[in-house]
Amino acid sequence: MRHRSLLILTSVLTTGALTLTACGSRDEGKGGGDNAGGTTTVVIGVDAPLTGSLSALGQGIKNSVDLAVQTANKDKVVPGVTFKIEALDDQAVPASGQANATKLVGNKDVLGVVGPLNSGVSQQMQGVFAAANLAQVSPANTNPSLSQGDNWGKGEFKRPFKTYFRTAATDVVQGKFAAQYLFKDAGKKKVFVVDDKQTYGAGLAAIFSDEFKRLGGQVVGTDHVTVKETDFSSTADKVKASGADSVYFGGQYPEGGLLSDQIKKTGAKVPVMGGDGIYDPAFISASAEANDGDLATSIGYPVEKLPTAKKFIADYNAAGYKDPYAAYGGYSYDAGWAIIQAVKAVVDANGGKLPSDARAKVTEALGKVSFDGVTGKVSFDEYGDTTNKQLTVYKVQGGKWIDVKSDTFNQ
């Protein structure tokens, strides 16, 4: 986050000798509807934290993929194929993600997986998927090593797994964008950097720090917090004593909101900035102190302001999902739609049916997909990374996140 052989299913249609050899299963019609003539079922797996402190993001991921699947079925995007999802809860725990990956690989109908949310979880899933030629598209992973290898920071780029893709921009983009905004736009020169010691948080904080110093800023102190703890008073005191005019936090919103609250209680009225991991209403509500002025970067432009997202938003609301699509809804829909388009390409190239090596073919086709999605143009580069490098800075204002700057980042 071992190897399971590709399962081959041969199903004979009731009409005679025609056979379908594929990874998908064949459903006989039961008296009308889309399955009246028999359809192939293709499952898109979803892995995300569906319970626990990050469930607000996880449920948005699941629902958005579900909407993509419902749309594809309604519009018969791939004739003869009915899409379904299988959603598994990783609770943001790497070991759970790895177990989920093994389970999804074992389901012969799964031809692609959307997820996970956390980069640390993805590290434990990638190898499992790669061994089975099962494509994975994350809407939220931002750690560069997942796609560019462990030595990316030295300028050595090597894609570890050809089955890995993502619709989210990496921390290289996000961390530098944040540093440039804080130094140039916000005018902050002395920052205190805190991270949660996790893959995402520590990596993002390191990239931010390097860029902030390169610009001429000063990192006046560093510290670490532990995930799921709630007392960060010692870190808050260090921030106060350092004379920092700002704080950068690499981590998620449960700890980030509490950290902001406790820093402000010391009397250090400085903004806390973080990445997309803190961009959630729960970050604001976690702080008893007013945290107007706190900042966050997030991938892409505000979905609500994108003309390309109007239908997604309307359809999502009409579907009546209990939870909002949250920060990664648009990217999750696009991730699911990318898999659907890859399946379509594979089916079209094989005379209207799935080939016996459908998983490998879908992985290959994913690298070539290109379409106008909810979040803009969706396509992948040679590392499986999104070609969409749009980012936005948000500020807490009046108890809400307000977008203050959107731009396309060019490294």
Side-chain angles (χ1 to χ4, degrees), residues 377-399:
K377 193 72 174 181
V378 178
S379 60
F380 306 100
D381 64 17
E382 67 269 32
Y383 303 104
D385 286 332
T386 179
T387 57
N388 186 339
K389 309 295 186 184
Q390 299 169 337
L391 295 107
T392 298
V393 176
Y394 295 85
K395 178 185 287 188
V396 178
Q397 185 174 311

Side-chain angles (χ1 to χ4, degrees), residues 200-249:
Y200 163 76
L204 182 58
I207 294 166
F208 167 87
S209 297
D210 287 345
E211 180 68 5
F212 194 79
K213 288 185 286 187
R214 187 190 71 80
L215 292 168
Q218 183 182 0
V219 176
V220 297
T222 62
D223 203 5
H224 310 281
V225 298
T226 301
V227 172
K228 297 186 179 180
E229 287 193 357
T230 58
D231 183 3
F232 307 130
S233 57
S234 63
T235 299
D237 289 338
K238 292 176 185 176
V239 170
K240 170 70 171 176
S242 71
D245 59 17
S246 53
V247 174
Y248 189 82
F249 174 63

Side-chain angles (χ1 to χ4, degrees), residues 3-260:
H3 174 76
R4 293 292 296 272
S5 60
L6 188 64
L7 297 178
I8 307 300
L9 178 71
T10 302
S11 178
V12 181
L13 296 179
T14 56
T15 54
L18 180 64
T19 62
L20 174 72
T21 304
C23 279
S25 64
R26 193 74 171 176
D27 298 326
E28 298 297 342
K30 301 296 182 181
D34 290 342
N35 292 337
T39 64
T40 300
T41 296
V42 169
V43 177
I44 297 178
V46 179
D47 178 86
L50 304 179
T51 59
S53 61
L54 298 178
S55 62
L57 298 175
Q59 290 292 338
I61 291 172
K62 181 195 74 172
N63 294 342
S64 299
V65 179
D66 179 73
L67 181 61
V69 163
Q70 299 305 324
T71 302
N73 291 339
K74 175 176 171 289
D75 296 342
K76 296 182 173 59
V77 171
V78 187
V81 171
T82 297
F83 292 95
K84 296 181 180 179
I85 71 167
E86 180 178 355
L88 301 179
D89 180 13
D90 63 32
Q91 296 183 309
V93 176
S96 296
Q98 186 177 52
N100 290 347
T102 300
K103 182 176 181 180
L104 291 168
V105 164
N107 182 346
K108 62 186 178 300
D109 297 336
V110 176
L111 296 189
V113 178
V114 176
L117 169 70
N118 305 88
S119 293
V121 175
S122 197
Q123 285 181 323
Q124 299 302 309
M125 302 180 79
Q126 288 181 301
V128 180
F129 290 138
N133 283 321
L134 181 57
Q136 166 193 8
V137 188
S138 173
N141 292 166
T142 54
N143 188 276
S145 64
L146 296 171
S147 57
Q148 298 175 17
D150 291 336
N151 293 324
W152 64 268
K154 300 176 182 178
E156 301 172 14
F157 305 107
K158 183 179 180 181
R159 188 177 184 182
F161 301 105
K162 66 180 181 180
T163 49
Y164 181 81
F165 301 83
R166 54 177 146 200
T167 54
T170 72
D171 288 335
V172 173
V173 178
Q174 188 173 197
K176 290 183 177 181
F177 187 67
Q180 290 178 13
Y181 180 87
L182 193 64
F183 184 84
K184 295 179 180 179
D185 296 77
K188 304 301 182 183
K189 309 302 180 186
K190 298 191 295 182
V191 66
F192 193 102
V193 178
V194 184
D195 70 67
D196 64 359
K197 298 178 284 188
Q198 303 298 301
T199 300
Y200 163 76
L204 182 58
I207 294 166
F208 167 87
S209 297
D210 287 345
E211 180 68 5
F212 194 79
K213 288 185 286 187
R214 187 190 71 80
L215 292 168
Q218 183 182 0
V219 176
V220 297
T222 62
D223 203 5
H224 310 281
V225 298
T226 301
V227 172
K228 297 186 179 180
E229 287 193 357
T230 58
D231 183 3
F232 307 130
S233 57
S234 63
T235 299
D237 289 338
K238 292 176 185 176
V239 170
K240 170 70 171 176
S242 71
D245 59 17
S246 53
V247 174
Y248 189 82
F249 174 63
Q252 306 282 354
Y253 62 78
E255 292 76 31
L258 292 174
L259 178 65
S260 175

